[in-house]
Amino acid sequence: MFPGIFSLRGATLALAATLGSAVVAHAGTLDTVKQRGNLVCGVSQGLLGFSNADANGKWTGFDVDFCRAVATAIFDDPEKVTYVPLSAAERFDALKDGKVDLLSRNSTWTMSRETDLPLAFVGVTYYDGQGFMVKRDSGKVSALELDGSTVCVQSGTTSEENFADYFTANSMKFTTISASTPAESLENYKTGKCTVLTTDVSQLYSERAALDDAADHIILPDVISKEPLGPVVRQDDAKWRALVAWVHNAMLNAEELGISSERVDEAKASKKPDVMRLVGTDGAFGEKLGLSNDWAINIVAKVGNYGEVYERNLGVGSKLGIPRGLNQLWSLGGIQYAPPIR
């Protein structure tokens, strides 16, 4: 009798200890970030227009600005970010193991990445697709003309399987030259180890812009896959997932409402209900996320709305010169669409 009682008591205490540890372990990413005093954000190892460090170690780019936007929502300071450059192979493990709070690194949202890993995508910040780059003097104008090509591709990405499937489906032969980083893949292409470079079209624009003879290379018009790119968080923290998702939503809604970094004061004085909710003069939407109620307008003021961030880093006036296309607002012919703040 007594051994059974003690065994039961021991089991109960062990369970309580386990649950207690779980509570501590999952105290909340937002609380951890606030206590630390900065956001730790996983980015690429260097991709012009998305996340790239200059000679002084200053990070800029579309994905970097999203990290800055999250930091602004929390601290009202876009500089409170520590950037951790991660390879394609190590990015998800780094997030899973808690080495970063957020992954903002041109990563494709797929089912297996949510079912096989304890991770969750929070939205699509950039709608992309895989394409091919070749030398202009190759005479190629379509991906269907690439039979027999030697193709450079980065390992550990969705691009590996996508292009192999495409070539196989079209009865085309190919030879693969794999690389562990985008820089290595581009170098293989530059030195002639392959005749074709394949990756997301956005990355091809970035890689081409880094070439001294950029005008001598063309990106073929064929897009062979759907590559919805977006930020990633761990699945075990619903509050943090909601916060990161609503940062993206707020930036889109701000652009749709005509609220830009140059019109912040006008927005704060507005009496339009949807504008008032976004700037925080009506409702307590920030408090529900663990933030101040002016979190969204702070993002716009210090980082910009979605359109401003896009144009600064990727748009036709940037070094990459990528048209908005699918990433235009839904009201202007694109498919970027955010749920409302209400």
Side-chain angles (χ1 to χ4, degrees), residues 95-241:
L95 177 61
K96 181 179 64 176
D97 296 340
K99 295 178 181 178
V100 296
D101 305 310
L102 163 68
L103 187 64
S104 183
R105 188 205 175 283
N106 59 301
S107 298
T108 300
W109 188 350
T110 68
M111 180 178 178
S112 62
R113 287 176 172 174
E114 290 198 323
T115 56
D116 298 349
L117 301 169
L119 305 177
F121 284 77
V122 300
V124 180
T125 53
Y126 190 93
Y127 288 97
D128 208 348
Q130 187 172 336
F132 302 93
M133 182 165 71
V134 298
K135 290 186 177 180
R136 188 179 296 276
D137 62 12
S138 70
K140 308 296 185 185
V141 296
S142 167
L144 292 173
E145 298 176 318
L146 298 179
D147 186 23
S149 295
T150 302
V151 183
C152 283
V153 66
Q154 186 183 355
S155 58
T157 66
T158 56
S159 299
E160 283 185 295
E161 186 175 349
N162 288 341
F163 103 82
D165 286 350
Y166 179 80
F167 272 65
T168 300
N170 288 286
S171 301
M172 298 191 300
K173 296 179 180 180
F174 63 92
T175 300
T176 301
I177 302 296
S178 297
S180 59
T181 67
E184 182 184 349
S185 191
L186 181 61
E187 185 63 24
N188 288 339
Y189 174 75
K190 287 169 59 178
T191 57
K193 291 182 179 179
C194 59
T195 56
V196 180
L197 178 63
T198 186
T199 186
D200 295 346
V201 172
S202 63
Q203 187 166 334
L204 290 176
Y205 272 92
S206 178
E207 304 289 23
R208 184 175 65 173
L211 296 173
D212 294 332
D213 58 345
D216 294 335
H217 303 265
I218 61 170
I219 298 170
L220 298 177
D222 312 76
V223 177
I224 67 168
S225 69
K226 294 187 294 183
E227 305 294 331
L229 310 180
V232 195
V233 297
R234 290 178 290 277
Q235 286 181 359
D236 61 1
D237 192 338
K239 182 177 180 181
W240 178 247
R241 181 179 183 178

Side-chain angles (χ1 to χ4, degrees), residues 27-38 75:
T29 307
L30 177 59
D31 292 336
T32 299
V33 170
K34 285 182 175 180
Q35 290 169 10
R36 186 195 303 127
N38 73 315
F75 300 110

